[in-house]
Each structure stands twice: as C-alpha cells, then as structure tokens.
Amino acid sequence: MTDGQRAVHPTGLRERKKRRTRDALLHAALDLFTGQGYEETTVDEIVDAVEVSQRTFFRYFASKEEAAFAIQEMVESHFLSELRRRPAAEAPFEAMRNAVLCAWNSIGETIEAIITVELHMRTYRMIESTPSLLAAHLRRSMDLENQIALLIAEREGLDVRTDPRPRVAVAAFCGVMRVTGQLWGRGRDTSVDSLRALTEVYLDQLGPALAGNWRAGADAGPG
C-alpha cells in the first residue's frame, strides 16, 4: 500500500462509519414513528435504540421532521438529477415521465440498503395521517413543484414569470404523482416495481384524460 493509499483509507473508513450511523438512526426513527406515532416518539428514544448520544442525532438531522422526510428527500433529489440529465430534444412531459421512471429504476436498491420498502410504505402512510407532517409534506410539495417548473422553463428557454406553461405542466405532472403515491400507499403490493408500474400507467393516461371527451357515446356522433 502506498502512502497515498494509507492516507485515503482512514477517510473512507470514517465516511462509511458515519453513513452506517446515519442509516441506523434513520431506520430507528422511522420504525419508532410508524410503530408508536411521530408525535409520541422522542429523540431520546431514537438515540437509545442506536446507543448513541443526542449530539450524534443532531449531527445528521436538524429535527425529527427532517428524519421523517429523509427518504423522500433522497427520492426527490434523485428525480431532479435525472431530470437535469434528460436530452434537450425531449418535450417537457416526456422529460418528466422518463426522469421519474429512470429514478425509480435505480433508487429502489438505494432505499432498500437503508430501510425495507415495507417500512417506506408505512412511513408514507404515517406522513399522510399525521397533521403536522402532512402540512410539512404539502409545503415541501409546493417547493418541489417550483424547482421542477424552473428546470423545465430553463430547458425550454422560457421565463416562468411571463409564461404559465411550465407551472401548468408541472402541476398536472405532480398531481398524477400524488395520486399514484396515494394508491400505492393503500395497496397490498409494497414493491418499488409496483409503484413504478402504477406511475407509468397513470402518466400515460394524462394526455388522453386532458384531451378526450369522456361522455358515454360521445364518439357515436349525432343520432
């Protein structure tokens, strides 16, 4: 081993230990939140489960709320990164659709390295049923929609202050994503594959749903 390798190795080891500690704290927090309630869980209980100090918890998470949304934050950041990499030739909806499907292709293993998908689903349900977290979730969703709209506007060379199309397109896209998340959260299949498949089906219905005439017999013409 060279001197350079000896210098790098301790840093890599420290980083892996820090990652393991953060993952353990996150797993313990989500398990406690979903098992006994978010409001009922204290930071002391989380750190006791991992056998570390409160100082260690706050080194990785600013608050319980940050821990509750840590996996969602990871998924959202991954989606935004995928969207930034989409080819410029793709239309806005195509770029968003491909970005979210690509994100789910690769993020599943990352999630499962930290928590089970079943715990991820329980966390989703817990957020939806906890008033303080639901309010935070809606606030975060608005911020995410704004970030996506700015990205789409930049891709298309538009100004969101004068052109409403990026915000309208993103609002429709995010509305579909919320619906699929809620359906997945209430379903029996907890796999990432099922969420990806459901997302694909519903996104593919967006165009026809907006453009089509839904009335029974509408295509039959005049009698």
Side-chain angles (χ1 to χ4, degrees):
M1 180 181 290
T2 66
D3 289 340
Q5 289 173 320
R6 277 192 291 269
V8 168
H9 179 71
T11 301
L13 180 60
R14 282 196 297 271
E15 289 304 314
R16 288 195 296 273
K17 288 178 67 176
K18 287 165 64 176
R19 171 59 61 181
R20 284 196 296 269
T21 300
R22 184 184 187 278
D23 290 352
L25 283 166
L26 179 56
H27 189 283
L30 298 183
D31 195 42
L32 286 166
F33 292 161
T34 58
Q36 65 186 28
Y38 172 76
E39 301 291 356
E40 291 74 20
T41 299
T42 66
V43 172
D44 280 336
E45 289 175 305
I46 297 169
V47 299
D48 284 348
V50 184
E51 297 183 338
V52 296
S53 65
Q54 272 204 12
R55 179 180 296 180
T56 299
F57 177 87
F58 289 114
R59 187 179 302 147
Y60 296 104
F61 304 103
S63 62
K64 287 197 309 177
E65 181 181 298
E66 186 173 303
F69 286 102
I71 297 294
Q72 185 173 322
E73 173 70 26
M74 184 175 66
V75 171
E76 291 168 355
S77 296
H78 197 59
F79 164 73
L80 290 172
S81 296
E82 289 288 347
L83 183 57
R84 291 187 184 98
R85 287 197 288 265
R86 298 313 305 170
E90 291 183 347
F93 272 119
E94 183 183 9
M96 289 187 286
R97 177 189 183 278
N98 290 338
V100 75
L101 294 179
C102 287
W104 279 119
N105 281 341
S106 54
I107 199 67
E109 290 184 3
T110 304
I111 292 174
E112 291 177 359
I114 304 172
I115 62 172
T116 63
V117 176
E118 187 270 337
L119 179 54
H120 179 45
M121 176 179 275
R122 283 196 283 129
T123 300
Y124 184 88
R125 291 169 176 164
M126 181 266 299
I127 289 171
E128 292 274 309
S129 62
T130 305
S132 62
L133 291 180
L134 182 57
H137 178 53
L138 294 174
R139 186 172 65 248
R140 289 170 51 84
S141 296
M142 291 174 61
D143 181 60
L144 178 63
E145 286 189 26
N146 185 58
Q147 291 183 65
I148 300 171
L150 291 174
L151 269 176
I152 293 297
E154 183 180 357
R155 281 174 53 90
E156 302 300 314
L158 304 175
D159 187 342
V160 293
R161 294 171 298 181
T162 57
D163 193 322
R165 288 175 294 175
R167 294 196 186 279
V168 170
V170 170
F173 171 80
C174 289
V176 173
M177 297 303 298
R178 279 192 291 273
V179 168
T180 57
Q182 289 166 356
L183 291 172
W184 178 76
R186 293 196 294 264
R188 294 182 177 179
D189 188 344
T190 63
S191 68
V192 172
D193 287 342
S194 73
L195 176 57
R196 187 191 186 283
L198 191 64
T199 299
E200 189 169 13
V201 168
Y202 273 71
L203 285 176
D204 287 347
Q205 287 299 315
L206 184 57
L210 293 177
N213 189 334
W214 298 355
R215 293 180 183 175
D219 295 332

